Amino acid sequence: MNTVQRIRETLARALSPEQIEVIDESGKHVGHRGHIPGKTTHVRVRVAADAFRGKSRIERHRMVNDLLASEIADGLHALAIEARAPGE
Amino acid sequence: MSALEFIDQQVKSNDVVLFMKGTPQFPQCGFSGQVVQILDYLGVPYKGVNVLDSDELRQGIKTYSNWPTIPQLYVKGEFVGGCDIIREMFQAGELQSSLKEKGITLRAPAQA
């Protein structure tokens, strides 16, 4: 399983999202110091999940950051997060 | 002074401080650059701290607020968010109102 698939599965299992998109944006950062050729280093996640309802932006991001802590420790350099509750 | 003490001092002694990669004049990361553009656009007076100055600082800022990514914006000692949160707040007009509530006086917006 590649990084994108793994991230999608981790988030899907924990958040039961209504919508989830995991986009590998590593290619946009070629030449940037965090980019390692051939490796997924820059990822954007778009998640709509009921689990976010009533939570602040910081809390939502913390939920995603915490779920993906091992990916971050393992070389995921940039994680852009768009987190909303369904209907927002 | 340890890196965490330095960070704490910066957070507490500046009304608005942005921990970023590069400097406000020369951001070295697109995410840091986006926040700089927003702050400059709004005319927010702020201090930029370049975390690329040292490894201790780059790691320390992640520990300080238990937040794994850079940039990080602090207003009046409080963590506001990273690039995505700042951009969403700006687009919703919430950044402007939150700064005003916290008593931050905006300069005339920069002429880009």
Side-chain angles (χ1 to χ4, degrees):
Chain A
M1 207 175 349
N2 67 31
T3 307
V4 167
Q5 291 166 329
R6 212 166 46 233
I7 290 172
R8 188 196 310 274
E9 196 169 290
T10 304
L11 296 177
R13 200 181 305 130
L15 301 170
S16 310
E18 193 167 282
Q19 273 180 13
I20 180 164
E21 255 186 290
V22 180
I23 305 155
D24 185 347
E25 297 189 334
S26 309
K28 285 192 193 173
H29 300 269
V30 173
H32 172 71
R33 59 194 297 151
H35 178 260
I36 301 161
K39 195 166 155 60
T40 298
T41 51
H42 291 65
V43 164
R44 173 175 301 274
V45 300
R46 292 200 179 105
V47 187
D50 224 28
F52 293 138
R53 202 174 299 281
K55 301 258 200 280
S56 72
R57 288 194 174 92
I58 289 182
E59 287 169 331
R60 293 172 182 193
H61 280 236
R62 280 200 198 285
M63 288 163 74
V64 175
N65 286 333
D66 289 349
L67 287 167
L68 301 180
S70 66
E71 298 290 345
I72 294 167
D74 202 32
L76 181 61
H77 174 80
L79 176 61
I81 300 172
E82 298 171 31
R84 60 182 182 87
E88 284 180 353
Chain B
M1 191 174 8
S2 77
L4 284 178
E5 285 167 341
F6 171 77
I7 291 164
D8 195 51
Q9 186 196 58
Q10 293 299 315
V11 166
K12 288 179 175 155
S13 61
N14 294 288
D15 278 352
V16 185
V17 56
L18 178 66
F19 292 87
M20 61 178 293
K21 292 184 177 176
T23 63
Q25 288 70 37
F26 294 102
Q28 293 191 35
C29 156
F31 301 106
S32 291
Q34 282 183 41
V35 177
V36 164
Q37 278 190 348
I38 290 170
L39 296 178
D40 287 349
Y41 176 82
L42 293 176
V44 182
Y46 65 99
K47 174 161 186 195
V49 177
N50 183 1
V51 303
L52 299 177
D53 280 348
S54 82
D55 269 353
E56 289 76 18
L57 196 50
R58 195 161 60 86
Q59 289 310 318
I61 193 62
K62 297 179 183 179
T63 311
Y64 183 73
S65 284
N66 183 29
W67 193 264
T69 49
I70 295 154
Q72 296 182 17
L73 183 70
Y74 294 79
V75 177
K76 296 264 180 175
E78 196 185 323
F79 177 53
V80 179
C83 174
D84 298 308
I85 289 178
I86 301 302
R87 198 187 51 244
E88 284 176 19
M89 288 179 73
F90 168 66
Q91 285 166 348
E94 288 169 30
L95 184 61
Q96 298 85 319
S97 51
S98 149
L99 288 165
K100 206 172 155 189
E101 264 169 38
K102 288 178 172 160
I104 306 298
T105 311
L106 307 185
R107 291 186 308 253
Q111 302 297 315

